[in-house]
């Protein structure tokens, strides 16, 4: 059973950098999966931030791309999120999640199959 | 802004059927997956692909798709199905990015 656990500071100052790590257990980060970050501001919906493959390939939400870096550390079986120049609008519960999937008759079938429990990050002075 | 649109809220009587829809151009080319989220908890996958349920998800949950609309149906809704539901798929620009729907609050009366 794959388990993901987010860790990092719960409070970040405005204009600072948010840094979170997701530890993966019960499976290898070098498997054929994409490793994702998703956030949810209080009382609002889910927002996809971005993802990384073990090779280092990344995809980012265009609305956050200029501020986001996702990296992977295969030796520690973990991946990380950095979000720079944060404001109060970046206050949210941040989730790490695994995307699994396959191709079926030419159709992509992908889904977020494992999620961390989430960690609240507040941006405030 | 999200490229997948959902109704903000729906209600259903206990034991009745409710359908939640997700609309977006990308759904003509990609399947949606569906997630249930209860307060204070992480989302849980309930439907993926054409109509697949992960182990442990009751068979009262089913999925379907037509044109630019994906649907999640709960047949015989239970009190424990009261939650927020989100669809997810690719964006519509062909660049393999992911996007969540706006979310639907399901209330079981």
């Amino acid at each position: 059973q794959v388990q993901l656990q987010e860790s990092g500071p719960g409070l970040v100052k405005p204009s600072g950098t948010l840094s979170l790590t997701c530890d993966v257990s019960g499976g290898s980060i070098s498997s054929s999966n994409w490793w994702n970050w998703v956030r949810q501001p209080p009382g609002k919906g889910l927002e996809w931030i971005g993802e990384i493959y073990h090779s280092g390939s990344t995809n980012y939400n265009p609305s956050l791309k200029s501020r986001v870096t996702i990296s992977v550390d295969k030796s520690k079986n973990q991946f990380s999120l950095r979000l720079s120049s944060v404001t109060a609008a970046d206050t949210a519960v941040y989730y790490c999640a695994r995307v699994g999937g396959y191709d079926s008759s030419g159709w992509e079938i992908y889904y977020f199959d494992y999620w961390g429990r989430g960690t609240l990050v507040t941006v405030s002075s | 802004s999200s490229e997948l649109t959902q109704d903000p809220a729906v209600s259903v009587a206990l034991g009745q059927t409710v359908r939640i829809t997700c609309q977006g151009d990308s759904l003509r080319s990609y399947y949606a997956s569906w997630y249930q989220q209860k307060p204070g908890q992480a989302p849980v996958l309930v439907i993926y692909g054409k109509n697949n349920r992960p182990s442990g998800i009751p068979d009262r949950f089913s999925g379907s798709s037509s044109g630019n609309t994906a649907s999640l149906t709960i047949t015989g809704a239970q009190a424990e199905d009261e939650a927020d539901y989100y669809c997810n798929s690719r964006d519509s620009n062909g660049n393999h990015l992911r996007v969540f729907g706006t979310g639907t609050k399901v209330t079981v009366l």
Side-chain angles (χ1 to χ4, degrees):
Chain A
Q1 180 80 349
V2 174
Q3 293 186 323
L4 293 84
Q5 178 66 59
E6 306 89 351
S7 61
L11 180 65
V12 181
K13 294 187 186 306
S15 77
T17 297
L18 179 159
S19 296
L20 295 174
T21 295
C22 182
D23 289 306
V24 179
S25 59
S28 173
I29 204 162
S30 295
S31 60
S32 300
N33 298 103
W34 287 85
W35 303 94
N36 284 248
W37 289 97
V38 176
R39 71 179 182 178
Q40 185 171 38
K44 297 187 178 180
L46 301 173
E47 181 180 29
W48 181 72
I49 299 172
E51 63 184 0
I52 190 165
Y53 200 67
H54 61 79
S55 63
S57 294
T58 54
N59 294 306
Y60 297 132
N61 185 326
S63 68
L64 299 170
K65 187 174 183 177
S66 64
R67 300 192 292 128
V68 172
T69 302
I70 297 176
S71 58
V72 65
D73 187 333
K74 290 184 282 187
S75 68
K76 295 182 179 179
N77 219 41
Q78 64 183 203
F79 63 107
S80 300
L81 169 70
R82 286 173 58 86
L83 181 66
S84 62
S85 304
V86 297
T87 69
D90 295 309
T91 293
V93 174
Y94 285 77
Y95 296 99
C96 58
R98 189 185 86 165
V99 165
Y102 54 94
D103 288 330
S104 175
S105 301
W107 283 78
E108 287 187 346
I109 298 178
Y110 288 97
Y111 42 86
F112 291 77
D113 55 0
Y114 292 100
W115 296 71
R117 298 180 69 173
T119 187
L120 174 63
V121 179
T122 301
V123 179
S124 175
S125 56
Chain B
S1 62
S2 178
E3 298 176 32
L4 296 177
T5 303
Q6 300 179 237
D7 290 330
V10 297
S11 60
V12 57
L14 184 68
Q16 295 304 301
T17 297
V18 62
R19 187 176 73 169
I20 306 160
T21 60
C22 172
Q23 288 189 304
D25 288 341
S26 65
L27 298 177
R28 298 183 186 276
S29 305
Y30 300 103
Y31 284 118
S33 51
W34 289 92
Y35 303 85
Q36 176 192 70
Q37 187 181 34
K38 297 181 180 179
Q41 298 183 19
V44 173
L45 175 68
V46 293
I47 289 289
Y48 65 96
K50 190 172 184 179
N51 181 19
N52 300 298
R53 284 177 288 105
S55 174
I57 300 301
D59 61 6
R60 63 179 179 271
F61 290 90
S62 63
S64 62
S65 184
S66 178
N68 73 335
T69 301
S71 300
L72 173 69
T73 300
I74 308 174
T75 304
Q78 301 300 303
E80 60 264 33
D81 300 333
E82 185 164 293
D84 294 325
Y85 291 83
Y86 296 91
C87 59
N88 177 272
S89 189
R90 296 290 197 183
D91 78 345
S92 58
N93 296 321
N95 52 14
H96 298 285
L97 304 182
R98 304 187 196 275
V99 62
F100 284 95
T102 50
T104 298
K105 169 66 177 178
V106 172
T107 300
V108 179
L109 304 173

